[in-house]
Short mmCIF file of all heavy atoms in Angstrom, two decimals:
data_model
loop_
_atom_site.label_atom_id
_atom_site.label_comp_id
_atom_site.label_asym_id
_atom_site.label_seq_id
_atom_site.Cartn_x
_atom_site.Cartn_y
_atom_site.Cartn_z
N MET A 12 -13.94 9.72 -14.26
CA MET A 12 -13.10 10.05 -13.16
C MET A 12 -13.01 8.88 -12.13
O MET A 12 -11.85 8.55 -11.73
CB MET A 12 -13.75 11.34 -12.45
CG MET A 12 -13.06 11.71 -11.23
SD MET A 12 -11.50 12.58 -11.65
CE MET A 12 -11.15 13.27 -10.05
N ARG A 13 -14.09 8.32 -11.71
CA ARG A 13 -14.04 7.20 -10.78
C ARG A 13 -13.24 6.03 -11.37
O ARG A 13 -12.52 5.30 -10.59
CB ARG A 13 -15.53 6.77 -10.45
CG ARG A 13 -15.62 5.80 -9.34
CD ARG A 13 -16.66 6.25 -8.41
NE ARG A 13 -17.06 5.40 -7.34
CZ ARG A 13 -16.42 5.49 -6.18
NH1 ARG A 13 -15.52 6.18 -5.87
NH2 ARG A 13 -16.87 4.62 -5.20
N ARG A 14 -13.34 5.84 -12.62
CA ARG A 14 -12.64 4.72 -13.29
C ARG A 14 -11.15 4.94 -13.23
O ARG A 14 -10.33 3.99 -13.03
CB ARG A 14 -13.10 4.57 -14.73
CG ARG A 14 -12.53 3.26 -15.40
CD ARG A 14 -13.10 3.18 -16.73
NE ARG A 14 -12.70 1.91 -17.30
CZ ARG A 14 -13.30 1.12 -18.06
NH1 ARG A 14 -14.51 1.54 -18.50
NH2 ARG A 14 -12.89 0.00 -18.62
N SER A 15 -10.69 6.21 -13.47
CA SER A 15 -9.28 6.45 -13.39
C SER A 15 -8.69 6.36 -12.05
O SER A 15 -7.63 5.98 -11.86
CB SER A 15 -9.00 7.90 -13.95
OG SER A 15 -9.62 8.90 -13.12
N LEU A 16 -9.47 6.65 -10.99
CA LEU A 16 -9.04 6.48 -9.62
C LEU A 16 -8.93 5.02 -9.31
O LEU A 16 -7.92 4.59 -8.67
CB LEU A 16 -10.06 7.10 -8.58
CG LEU A 16 -10.05 8.63 -8.44
CD1 LEU A 16 -11.15 9.18 -7.57
CD2 LEU A 16 -8.74 9.13 -8.11
N ARG A 17 -9.83 4.21 -9.82
CA ARG A 17 -9.85 2.68 -9.62
C ARG A 17 -8.44 2.25 -10.37
O ARG A 17 -7.81 1.39 -9.71
CB ARG A 17 -11.05 2.13 -10.09
CG ARG A 17 -10.99 0.49 -9.90
CD ARG A 17 -12.17 -0.16 -10.27
NE ARG A 17 -13.27 0.37 -9.33
CZ ARG A 17 -14.51 0.30 -9.62
NH1 ARG A 17 -15.01 -0.10 -10.77
NH2 ARG A 17 -15.46 0.70 -8.78
N ALA A 18 -8.27 2.71 -11.48
CA ALA A 18 -7.07 2.29 -12.14
C ALA A 18 -5.77 2.60 -11.53
O ALA A 18 -4.82 1.91 -11.44
CB ALA A 18 -7.07 2.84 -13.59
N ALA A 19 -5.77 3.83 -10.87
CA ALA A 19 -4.62 4.37 -10.18
C ALA A 19 -4.42 3.49 -8.98
O ALA A 19 -3.28 3.13 -8.59
CB ALA A 19 -4.88 5.87 -9.85
N ALA A 20 -5.50 3.13 -8.25
CA ALA A 20 -5.42 2.32 -7.00
C ALA A 20 -4.92 0.99 -7.32
O ALA A 20 -4.08 0.37 -6.65
CB ALA A 20 -6.74 2.24 -6.37
N LEU A 21 -5.32 0.36 -8.44
CA LEU A 21 -4.81 -0.94 -8.86
C LEU A 21 -3.32 -0.87 -9.32
O LEU A 21 -2.64 -1.79 -8.98
CB LEU A 21 -5.68 -1.49 -10.13
CG LEU A 21 -7.09 -1.86 -9.77
CD1 LEU A 21 -7.82 -2.30 -11.04
CD2 LEU A 21 -7.10 -3.08 -8.83
N SER A 22 -3.02 0.16 -9.94
CA SER A 22 -1.58 0.33 -10.35
C SER A 22 -0.73 0.51 -9.10
O SER A 22 0.38 -0.14 -8.98
CB SER A 22 -1.39 1.66 -11.14
OG SER A 22 -2.07 1.50 -12.38
N LEU A 23 -1.20 1.21 -8.11
CA LEU A 23 -0.48 1.38 -6.83
C LEU A 23 -0.35 0.01 -6.16
O LEU A 23 0.79 -0.37 -5.62
CB LEU A 23 -1.17 2.39 -5.88
CG LEU A 23 -0.59 2.62 -4.65
CD1 LEU A 23 0.86 3.24 -4.80
CD2 LEU A 23 -1.38 3.59 -3.74
N GLY A 24 -1.43 -0.79 -6.18
CA GLY A 24 -1.42 -2.13 -5.62
C GLY A 24 -0.42 -3.00 -6.21
O GLY A 24 0.33 -3.72 -5.58
N ALA A 25 -0.25 -2.83 -7.61
CA ALA A 25 0.69 -3.80 -8.31
C ALA A 25 2.25 -3.16 -7.97
O ALA A 25 3.08 -4.11 -7.71
CB ALA A 25 0.56 -3.56 -9.84
N VAL A 26 2.35 -1.92 -7.71
CA VAL A 26 3.67 -1.41 -7.32
C VAL A 26 4.03 -1.97 -5.93
O VAL A 26 5.12 -2.40 -5.65
CB VAL A 26 3.69 0.05 -7.42
CG1 VAL A 26 5.01 0.63 -6.75
CG2 VAL A 26 3.64 0.51 -8.84
N VAL A 27 3.06 -1.92 -5.05
CA VAL A 27 3.31 -2.37 -3.68
C VAL A 27 3.58 -3.87 -3.69
O VAL A 27 4.59 -4.32 -3.03
CB VAL A 27 2.06 -2.09 -2.77
CG1 VAL A 27 2.17 -2.79 -1.46
CG2 VAL A 27 1.89 -0.58 -2.65
N LEU A 28 2.91 -4.67 -4.46
CA LEU A 28 3.15 -6.08 -4.50
C LEU A 28 4.62 -6.26 -5.02
O LEU A 28 5.33 -7.18 -4.48
CB LEU A 28 2.14 -6.80 -5.41
CG LEU A 28 2.37 -8.25 -5.53
CD1 LEU A 28 2.30 -9.03 -4.24
CD2 LEU A 28 1.26 -8.78 -6.54
N ALA A 29 4.99 -5.61 -6.04
CA ALA A 29 6.34 -5.69 -6.59
C ALA A 29 7.37 -5.39 -5.59
O ALA A 29 8.41 -6.01 -5.40
CB ALA A 29 6.46 -4.83 -7.84
N LEU A 30 7.10 -4.36 -4.80
CA LEU A 30 8.07 -3.93 -3.72
C LEU A 30 8.10 -5.01 -2.60
O LEU A 30 9.21 -5.30 -2.17
CB LEU A 30 7.57 -2.65 -3.06
CG LEU A 30 7.90 -1.41 -3.97
CD1 LEU A 30 7.25 -0.13 -3.36
CD2 LEU A 30 9.38 -1.19 -4.30
N VAL A 31 7.04 -5.61 -2.27
CA VAL A 31 7.02 -6.66 -1.26
C VAL A 31 7.78 -7.87 -1.73
O VAL A 31 8.59 -8.34 -1.01
CB VAL A 31 5.56 -7.00 -0.87
CG1 VAL A 31 5.54 -8.25 -0.08
CG2 VAL A 31 4.90 -5.90 -0.10
N LEU A 32 7.60 -8.20 -2.93
CA LEU A 32 8.27 -9.39 -3.45
C LEU A 32 9.69 -9.12 -3.63
O LEU A 32 10.55 -10.04 -3.39
CB LEU A 32 7.62 -9.77 -4.85
CG LEU A 32 6.23 -10.26 -4.79
CD1 LEU A 32 5.73 -10.50 -6.24
CD2 LEU A 32 6.13 -11.50 -4.00
N THR A 33 10.13 -7.89 -4.04
CA THR A 33 11.59 -7.60 -4.12
C THR A 33 12.14 -7.48 -2.75
O THR A 33 13.28 -8.03 -2.53
CB THR A 33 11.62 -6.19 -4.75
OG1 THR A 33 11.10 -6.26 -6.09
CG2 THR A 33 13.15 -5.73 -4.92
N ALA A 34 11.43 -6.93 -1.70
CA ALA A 34 12.03 -6.76 -0.39
C ALA A 34 12.10 -8.10 0.26
O ALA A 34 13.10 -8.29 1.06
CB ALA A 34 11.15 -5.81 0.38
N SER A 35 11.32 -9.13 -0.05
CA SER A 35 11.40 -10.38 0.74
C SER A 35 12.48 -11.20 0.21
O SER A 35 12.80 -12.22 0.80
CB SER A 35 10.02 -11.06 0.64
OG SER A 35 9.84 -11.42 -0.79
N GLY A 36 13.18 -10.83 -0.89
CA GLY A 36 14.21 -11.64 -1.42
C GLY A 36 15.55 -11.52 -0.61
O GLY A 36 16.37 -12.34 -0.70
N GLY A 37 15.77 -10.42 0.09
CA GLY A 37 17.05 -10.28 0.80
C GLY A 37 16.98 -10.60 2.24
O GLY A 37 15.90 -11.00 2.72
N LYS A 38 18.09 -10.67 2.92
CA LYS A 38 18.12 -11.09 4.34
C LYS A 38 18.18 -9.93 5.25
O LYS A 38 17.93 -10.06 6.45
CB LYS A 38 19.40 -11.87 4.57
CG LYS A 38 19.29 -13.28 3.83
CD LYS A 38 20.45 -14.12 4.20
CE LYS A 38 20.33 -15.39 3.50
NZ LYS A 38 21.31 -16.39 3.82
N SER A 39 18.32 -8.68 4.77
CA SER A 39 18.34 -7.53 5.68
C SER A 39 16.91 -7.01 5.85
O SER A 39 16.04 -7.26 5.04
CB SER A 39 19.10 -6.40 5.13
OG SER A 39 18.61 -5.90 3.84
N ALA A 40 16.77 -6.26 6.96
CA ALA A 40 15.34 -5.82 7.25
C ALA A 40 15.02 -4.72 6.27
O ALA A 40 15.80 -3.98 5.80
CB ALA A 40 15.34 -5.17 8.63
N SER A 41 13.75 -4.73 5.97
CA SER A 41 13.24 -3.79 4.80
C SER A 41 11.95 -3.14 5.38
O SER A 41 11.23 -3.64 6.19
CB SER A 41 12.92 -4.44 3.53
OG SER A 41 14.00 -5.03 3.04
N THR A 42 11.72 -1.87 4.99
CA THR A 42 10.51 -1.13 5.39
C THR A 42 9.90 -0.71 4.05
O THR A 42 10.46 -0.15 3.18
CB THR A 42 10.86 0.10 6.20
OG1 THR A 42 11.54 -0.34 7.35
CG2 THR A 42 9.59 0.83 6.58
N ILE A 43 8.46 -0.90 4.02
CA ILE A 43 7.71 -0.56 2.92
C ILE A 43 6.64 0.40 3.38
O ILE A 43 6.03 0.08 4.39
CB ILE A 43 6.98 -1.72 2.26
CG1 ILE A 43 8.11 -2.69 1.76
CG2 ILE A 43 6.09 -1.26 1.12
CD1 ILE A 43 7.52 -3.99 1.33
N THR A 44 6.54 1.58 2.75
CA THR A 44 5.50 2.49 3.10
C THR A 44 4.41 2.35 2.03
O THR A 44 4.72 2.48 0.83
CB THR A 44 5.97 3.97 3.23
OG1 THR A 44 6.99 4.02 4.26
CG2 THR A 44 4.79 4.93 3.48
N VAL A 45 3.18 2.17 2.54
CA VAL A 45 1.97 2.04 1.59
C VAL A 45 0.95 3.18 1.86
O VAL A 45 0.69 3.40 3.01
CB VAL A 45 1.37 0.63 1.83
CG1 VAL A 45 0.12 0.49 0.82
CG2 VAL A 45 2.29 -0.43 1.65
N TRP A 46 0.52 3.81 0.73
CA TRP A 46 -0.51 4.81 0.91
C TRP A 46 -1.86 4.14 0.81
O TRP A 46 -2.08 3.39 -0.14
CB TRP A 46 -0.40 5.81 -0.14
CG TRP A 46 0.77 6.70 -0.05
CD1 TRP A 46 1.60 6.98 1.11
CD2 TRP A 46 1.43 7.53 -1.17
NE1 TRP A 46 2.58 7.80 0.66
CE2 TRP A 46 2.51 8.07 -0.68
CE3 TRP A 46 0.95 7.78 -2.43
CZ2 TRP A 46 3.21 9.04 -1.30
CZ3 TRP A 46 1.70 8.55 -3.26
CH2 TRP A 46 2.91 9.20 -2.68
N ALA A 47 -2.72 4.33 1.72
CA ALA A 47 -4.11 3.72 1.68
C ALA A 47 -5.12 4.87 1.50
O ALA A 47 -5.15 5.76 2.35
CB ALA A 47 -4.36 2.93 3.01
N MET A 48 -5.79 4.74 0.39
CA MET A 48 -6.84 5.72 0.13
C MET A 48 -8.25 5.19 0.57
O MET A 48 -8.60 4.02 0.40
CB MET A 48 -6.88 5.99 -1.32
CG MET A 48 -5.87 7.07 -1.73
SD MET A 48 -4.38 6.52 -2.61
CE MET A 48 -4.53 5.04 -3.40
N GLY A 49 -9.05 6.10 1.15
CA GLY A 49 -10.42 5.77 1.46
C GLY A 49 -10.41 4.75 2.65
O GLY A 49 -9.60 4.68 3.47
N ALA A 50 -11.44 3.88 2.53
CA ALA A 50 -11.71 2.83 3.61
C ALA A 50 -10.69 1.79 3.55
O ALA A 50 -10.69 0.97 4.50
CB ALA A 50 -13.20 2.29 3.41
N GLU A 51 -9.89 1.63 2.48
CA GLU A 51 -8.93 0.46 2.38
C GLU A 51 -7.96 0.56 3.49
O GLU A 51 -7.31 -0.50 3.86
CB GLU A 51 -8.31 0.43 0.95
CG GLU A 51 -7.26 1.42 0.79
CD GLU A 51 -6.54 1.40 -0.61
OE1 GLU A 51 -7.23 0.92 -1.50
OE2 GLU A 51 -5.42 1.83 -0.66
N GLY A 52 -7.65 1.70 4.09
CA GLY A 52 -6.68 1.82 5.15
C GLY A 52 -6.99 0.94 6.35
O GLY A 52 -6.05 0.38 6.94
N ASP A 53 -8.27 0.85 6.73
CA ASP A 53 -8.62 -0.03 7.83
C ASP A 53 -8.33 -1.49 7.50
O ASP A 53 -7.73 -2.17 8.30
CB ASP A 53 -10.11 0.05 8.06
CG ASP A 53 -10.51 1.44 8.54
OD1 ASP A 53 -9.68 2.23 9.17
OD2 ASP A 53 -11.70 1.89 8.36
N LYS A 54 -8.66 -1.91 6.35
CA LYS A 54 -8.38 -3.44 5.99
C LYS A 54 -6.93 -3.65 5.65
O LYS A 54 -6.27 -4.68 6.07
CB LYS A 54 -9.17 -3.71 4.80
CG LYS A 54 -10.71 -3.74 5.08
CD LYS A 54 -11.53 -4.27 3.93
CE LYS A 54 -12.96 -4.27 4.34
NZ LYS A 54 -13.81 -4.79 3.43
N LEU A 55 -6.18 -2.62 5.07
CA LEU A 55 -4.88 -2.88 4.67
C LEU A 55 -3.95 -2.82 5.95
O LEU A 55 -2.98 -3.61 5.95
CB LEU A 55 -4.42 -1.69 3.79
CG LEU A 55 -3.09 -1.83 3.10
CD1 LEU A 55 -3.00 -3.10 2.35
CD2 LEU A 55 -2.86 -0.63 2.22
N ASP A 56 -4.36 -2.10 6.90
CA ASP A 56 -3.60 -2.15 8.22
C ASP A 56 -3.64 -3.61 8.73
O ASP A 56 -2.57 -4.16 9.12
CB ASP A 56 -4.14 -1.15 9.19
CG ASP A 56 -3.32 -1.02 10.33
OD1 ASP A 56 -2.05 -0.81 10.12
OD2 ASP A 56 -3.78 -0.96 11.52
N GLN A 57 -4.72 -4.24 8.86
CA GLN A 57 -4.80 -5.62 9.30
C GLN A 57 -3.98 -6.58 8.48
O GLN A 57 -3.29 -7.49 8.89
CB GLN A 57 -6.25 -6.07 9.43
CG GLN A 57 -6.30 -7.50 10.18
CD GLN A 57 -5.66 -7.54 11.52
OE1 GLN A 57 -5.90 -6.61 12.32
NE2 GLN A 57 -4.82 -8.58 11.60
N ILE A 58 -4.17 -6.41 7.14
CA ILE A 58 -3.38 -7.22 6.15
C ILE A 58 -1.86 -7.03 6.38
O ILE A 58 -1.08 -7.99 6.43
CB ILE A 58 -3.78 -6.90 4.65
CG1 ILE A 58 -5.28 -7.38 4.47
CG2 ILE A 58 -2.86 -7.59 3.72
CD1 ILE A 58 -5.73 -6.79 3.19
N ALA A 59 -1.51 -5.89 6.59
CA ALA A 59 -0.06 -5.49 6.81
C ALA A 59 0.46 -6.14 8.14
O ALA A 59 1.55 -6.84 8.23
CB ALA A 59 0.23 -4.06 6.89
N LYS A 60 -0.37 -6.25 9.16
CA LYS A 60 0.00 -6.89 10.45
C LYS A 60 0.14 -8.29 10.26
O LYS A 60 1.06 -9.00 10.74
CB LYS A 60 -1.05 -6.48 11.53
CG LYS A 60 -0.96 -5.11 12.04
CD LYS A 60 -2.09 -4.86 13.05
CE LYS A 60 -2.06 -3.43 13.48
NZ LYS A 60 -3.24 -3.10 14.34
N ASP A 61 -0.75 -8.95 9.44
CA ASP A 61 -0.74 -10.40 9.25
C ASP A 61 0.63 -10.71 8.40
O ASP A 61 1.28 -11.69 8.66
CB ASP A 61 -1.87 -10.83 8.39
CG ASP A 61 -3.20 -10.88 9.31
OD1 ASP A 61 -3.14 -10.71 10.54
OD2 ASP A 61 -4.25 -10.90 8.70
N PHE A 62 0.90 -9.83 7.42
CA PHE A 62 2.06 -10.00 6.58
C PHE A 62 3.28 -9.95 7.35
O PHE A 62 4.22 -10.75 7.28
CB PHE A 62 2.00 -9.08 5.42
CG PHE A 62 3.23 -9.05 4.56
CD1 PHE A 62 3.36 -9.90 3.54
CD2 PHE A 62 4.40 -8.21 4.81
CE1 PHE A 62 4.51 -10.05 2.73
CE2 PHE A 62 5.50 -8.35 4.07
CZ PHE A 62 5.53 -9.20 2.97
N MET A 63 3.41 -8.93 8.32
CA MET A 63 4.56 -8.70 9.11
C MET A 63 4.75 -9.88 10.05
O MET A 63 5.89 -10.20 10.45
CB MET A 63 4.55 -7.36 9.86
CG MET A 63 4.74 -6.22 8.90
SD MET A 63 4.79 -4.61 9.72
CE MET A 63 3.17 -4.49 10.37
N ALA A 64 3.71 -10.49 10.58
CA ALA A 64 3.85 -11.65 11.46
C ALA A 64 4.48 -12.81 10.71
O ALA A 64 5.28 -13.47 11.31
CB ALA A 64 2.40 -12.03 11.98
N LYS A 65 4.14 -12.93 9.44
CA LYS A 65 4.67 -14.06 8.71
C LYS A 65 6.08 -13.73 8.14
O LYS A 65 6.85 -14.56 7.76
CB LYS A 65 3.76 -14.44 7.52
CG LYS A 65 2.48 -14.99 8.12
CD LYS A 65 1.47 -15.24 6.92
CE LYS A 65 0.18 -15.67 7.41
NZ LYS A 65 -0.88 -15.82 6.39
N ASN A 66 6.44 -12.42 8.05
CA ASN A 66 7.72 -11.92 7.38
C ASN A 66 8.30 -10.91 8.41
O ASN A 66 8.20 -9.70 8.24
CB ASN A 66 7.38 -11.24 6.06
CG ASN A 66 6.72 -12.23 5.08
OD1 ASN A 66 7.47 -13.07 4.47
ND2 ASN A 66 5.44 -12.11 4.97
N PRO A 67 8.87 -11.37 9.45
CA PRO A 67 9.39 -10.45 10.50
C PRO A 67 10.52 -9.55 10.06
O PRO A 67 10.78 -8.58 10.68
CB PRO A 67 9.87 -11.41 11.64
CG PRO A 67 10.01 -12.73 11.02
CD PRO A 67 9.10 -12.74 9.87
N SER A 68 11.18 -9.81 8.99
CA SER A 68 12.23 -8.98 8.47
C SER A 68 11.75 -7.83 7.62
O SER A 68 12.48 -6.96 7.10
CB SER A 68 13.31 -9.77 7.70
OG SER A 68 12.67 -10.32 6.54
N ILE A 69 10.41 -7.76 7.41
CA ILE A 69 9.81 -6.69 6.64
C ILE A 69 8.79 -5.94 7.44
O ILE A 69 7.89 -6.51 8.06
CB ILE A 69 9.12 -7.28 5.28
CG1 ILE A 69 10.06 -8.07 4.54
CG2 ILE A 69 8.58 -6.01 4.55
CD1 ILE A 69 9.54 -8.82 3.39
N LYS A 70 9.01 -4.55 7.48
CA LYS A 70 8.06 -3.78 8.19
C LYS A 70 7.19 -3.00 7.17
O LYS A 70 7.80 -2.40 6.10
CB LYS A 70 8.74 -2.69 9.05
CG LYS A 70 7.85 -1.71 9.77
CD LYS A 70 8.49 -1.11 10.99
CE LYS A 70 7.67 -0.12 11.60
NZ LYS A 70 6.25 -0.47 11.88
N VAL A 71 5.93 -2.93 7.33
CA VAL A 71 5.03 -2.21 6.39
C VAL A 71 4.39 -1.08 7.19
O VAL A 71 3.64 -1.30 8.22
CB VAL A 71 3.87 -3.18 5.85
CG1 VAL A 71 2.88 -2.41 4.98
CG2 VAL A 71 4.52 -4.33 5.20
N ASN A 72 4.59 0.13 6.69
CA ASN A 72 3.84 1.31 7.22
C ASN A 72 2.70 1.66 6.35
O ASN A 72 2.96 1.99 5.22
CB ASN A 72 4.93 2.50 7.35
CG ASN A 72 6.06 2.32 8.22
OD1 ASN A 72 5.85 1.80 9.32
ND2 ASN A 72 7.17 2.76 7.89
N VAL A 73 1.50 1.65 6.95
CA VAL A 73 0.31 2.04 6.21
C VAL A 73 0.01 3.56 6.50
O VAL A 73 -0.19 3.83 7.69
CB VAL A 73 -0.87 1.18 6.56
CG1 VAL A 73 -2.11 1.69 5.74
CG2 VAL A 73 -0.56 -0.27 6.26
N THR A 74 0.02 4.38 5.44
CA THR A 74 -0.12 5.78 5.65
C THR A 74 -1.53 6.22 4.99
O THR A 74 -1.72 6.04 3.76
CB THR A 74 0.95 6.72 4.97
OG1 THR A 74 2.20 6.23 5.57
CG2 THR A 74 0.71 8.08 5.21
N PRO A 75 -2.51 6.66 5.79
CA PRO A 75 -3.71 7.05 5.21
C PRO A 75 -3.56 8.31 4.33
O PRO A 75 -2.91 9.26 4.61
CB PRO A 75 -4.65 7.42 6.37
CG PRO A 75 -3.82 7.14 7.56
CD PRO A 75 -2.45 6.85 7.18
N VAL A 76 -4.25 8.32 3.12
CA VAL A 76 -4.30 9.40 2.21
C VAL A 76 -5.60 9.66 1.77
O VAL A 76 -6.30 8.71 1.25
CB VAL A 76 -3.31 9.20 1.01
CG1 VAL A 76 -3.33 10.32 -0.09
CG2 VAL A 76 -1.86 8.81 1.36
N SER A 77 -6.10 10.89 1.99
CA SER A 77 -7.46 11.18 1.53
C SER A 77 -7.57 11.18 -0.02
O SER A 77 -6.63 11.47 -0.72
CB SER A 77 -7.90 12.48 2.11
OG SER A 77 -7.12 13.53 1.63
N TRP A 78 -8.72 10.94 -0.60
CA TRP A 78 -9.04 10.90 -1.94
C TRP A 78 -8.75 12.31 -2.52
O TRP A 78 -8.22 12.26 -3.71
CB TRP A 78 -10.39 10.44 -2.17
CG TRP A 78 -10.59 8.97 -2.10
CD1 TRP A 78 -11.32 8.32 -1.13
CD2 TRP A 78 -10.05 7.98 -2.99
NE1 TRP A 78 -11.19 6.97 -1.36
CE2 TRP A 78 -10.47 6.75 -2.49
CE3 TRP A 78 -9.29 7.97 -4.05
CZ2 TRP A 78 -10.10 5.52 -3.10
CZ3 TRP A 78 -8.87 6.79 -4.65
CH2 TRP A 78 -9.26 5.53 -4.17
N ASP A 79 -8.96 13.31 -1.89
CA ASP A 79 -8.85 14.65 -2.51
C ASP A 79 -7.32 14.93 -2.84
O ASP A 79 -7.06 15.77 -3.66
CB ASP A 79 -9.47 15.77 -1.73
CG ASP A 79 -9.02 15.79 -0.34
OD1 ASP A 79 -8.46 14.85 0.24
OD2 ASP A 79 -9.12 16.87 0.34
N VAL A 80 -6.35 14.29 -2.15
CA VAL A 80 -4.95 14.58 -2.53
C VAL A 80 -4.26 13.37 -3.06
O VAL A 80 -3.08 13.42 -3.48
CB VAL A 80 -4.19 14.96 -1.20
CG1 VAL A 80 -4.70 16.33 -0.66
CG2 VAL A 80 -4.18 13.95 -0.08
N ALA A 81 -4.94 12.27 -3.18
CA ALA A 81 -4.38 10.97 -3.63
C ALA A 81 -3.73 11.20 -5.13
O ALA A 81 -2.76 10.66 -5.38
CB ALA A 81 -5.40 9.89 -3.63
N HIS A 82 -4.59 11.80 -5.94
CA HIS A 82 -4.17 11.95 -7.35
C HIS A 82 -2.84 12.68 -7.40
O HIS A 82 -1.97 12.25 -8.17
CB HIS A 82 -5.35 12.63 -8.10
CG HIS A 82 -4.99 12.91 -9.58
ND1 HIS A 82 -4.36 14.00 -9.98
CD2 HIS A 82 -5.01 12.02 -10.64
CE1 HIS A 82 -4.10 13.92 -11.35
NE2 HIS A 82 -4.45 12.76 -11.73
N ASP A 83 -2.71 13.79 -6.67
CA ASP A 83 -1.51 14.55 -6.76
C ASP A 83 -0.31 13.78 -6.26
O ASP A 83 0.84 13.82 -6.69
CB ASP A 83 -1.60 15.83 -5.99
CG ASP A 83 -2.62 16.76 -6.66
OD1 ASP A 83 -2.86 16.67 -7.88
OD2 ASP A 83 -3.24 17.63 -5.98
N LYS A 84 -0.56 12.96 -5.18
CA LYS A 84 0.52 12.26 -4.56
C LYS A 84 1.01 11.16 -5.55
O LYS A 84 2.17 10.86 -5.65
CB LYS A 84 0.13 11.62 -3.28
CG LYS A 84 0.09 12.59 -2.13
CD LYS A 84 -0.14 11.79 -0.86
CE LYS A 84 0.35 12.50 0.38
NZ LYS A 84 1.77 12.81 0.52
N ILE A 85 0.09 10.51 -6.21
CA ILE A 85 0.42 9.37 -7.09
C ILE A 85 1.30 9.92 -8.34
O ILE A 85 2.15 9.25 -8.68
CB ILE A 85 -0.84 8.68 -7.61
CG1 ILE A 85 -1.41 7.89 -6.40
CG2 ILE A 85 -0.51 7.63 -8.71
CD1 ILE A 85 -2.74 7.27 -6.71
N ILE A 86 0.82 11.07 -8.81
CA ILE A 86 1.51 11.59 -9.97
C ILE A 86 2.82 12.21 -9.52
O ILE A 86 3.85 12.00 -10.17
CB ILE A 86 0.62 12.76 -10.61
CG1 ILE A 86 -0.52 12.17 -11.26
CG2 ILE A 86 1.41 13.61 -11.49
CD1 ILE A 86 -1.52 13.23 -11.90
#
């Protein structure tokens, strides 16, 4: 069970990275919403702030999602 959650989190990270790379290609402002599960929300929020400082045309919204509902949201 823990391994499948880790795989889901890695998959989600890959999707987010793809969205960031896609969004950064255009000149119009873009917004990306990222679900942060568990303690990663604290670190991801700071990473998002650093990213937005370097990429002012992209806004990143970090939304905390508890582990008990993360599986249903991902599916």
